[in-house]
Amino acid sequence: MSEVIAVARAARVASRALALATRAEKDAALHAMADALLENEDDIIYAGNADDLRRAEAAGTPANIVDRLTLTPERLAAMAQGLRDIAGLPDPVGEVVRGGVLTNGLELRQVRVPFGVVGMIYEARPNVTADAAGICLKSGNAVLLRGSSSARMTNEAVVEAMRDAIAASGLPADVVQLVPGESHDSVKELMRARGDVDVLIPRGGAGLIRSVVEESTVPVIETGVGNCHVYVDAAADLDMALTIALNSKTHRTSVCNSAESLLVHADVAEEFLPRITAAFQTAGVVVHGDEDFQQHGAVPATDDDWGQEYLSLDISAKVVASLDEAITHIQAWSSGHTDAIVTDDQRAARRFVAEVDSAAVLVNASTRFTDGGEFGFGAEIGISTQKLHARGPMGLPEMTSTKYVVVGDGHVR
């Protein structure tokens, strides 16, 4: 038996015990995990993460990836608070989705149940290690964590602290495990562990997600890259549009809900383009634009730019003649993650919401709000851009399946 299959089967055994745990037991484990992260700050930040950062810098890793990889005391405290927040959320396991008494007297209930064993494949961002562990534990799932080799030492320190806390709280430590191995072979083995792993969730760049979706025999919940658009309509409040475009692009560039493309209606372009390009220039944003934007200092945009998830201080930009052209452009180039319209025209807003087929469509709000925490879910394990089972930020309910419970009194058919 390979090491990957061994940990998957240990997770299966642990998941059965976790499925019987009460909410109080799971919440106690989550609080213990949060305490353990803070108590092990030196091992996590100044040993594990510092080592990962040294290797990243020596390898010439791009700044946006280094930012995702970096842990600070503040970020570690946020990870711990995230676990406490999950503890405060309702337990989805056992929730009755629907039910009643059939005409023949049978009692029928559809109830939420855990998946069982969840595999997470993700890049950098060691905060995902704690988030995924907490969300899976609260929803009754064992989790197999396969982060990138760039965060290996950090992830090992985080997982060790959490496993000790879980065991001390009385639950099986194997409900949270790192997938052994640093080569792609271990990832491939995880992707093909059908029967030992119930579902895989990839979280990272387009290449990682495509690889998992195309190569996995385990069912996949696809999280998507974020080529997010902001469209400034002819009826937009231009002060609002300026604020939303800037926030969407510059609030944090290395995340999937950062805006990567700006569309501006021709009727407001003469007034808005000088303002937005000056604001972008002040913020250090490089605009990859069409001819209209190039007149205000943008570099020429190509088709590669329209479909690009930059994750940096870059944005593609174009003037469109109509709402129809804006929607057509978004339909052609959006990744289906998040797209926003800025307008005071309710008819335009309704059309945009109806015709833009993305997991989240925003009206007069920054794309940065597409987030489980911002939506009030308390936490998220990723943002799904697919249409089956879950779409958009995935909170605790999305980490469950359902089963039907039927109770009779000697009924036969």
Side-chain angles (χ1 to χ4, degrees), residues 37 44 71 79 126 129-130 154-163:
L37 292 183
I44 293 170
L71 278 187
M79 288 164 59
T129 304
T154 309
N155 287 338
E156 286 182 356
V158 169
V159 169
E160 182 179 358
M162 292 192 299
R163 280 173 56 86

Side-chain angles (χ1 to χ4, degrees), residues 60-76:
T61 303
N64 63 306
I65 303 299
V66 173
D67 175 61
R68 288 186 172 204
L69 178 60
T70 301
L71 278 187
T72 62
E74 292 75 20
R75 288 185 178 182
L76 187 65

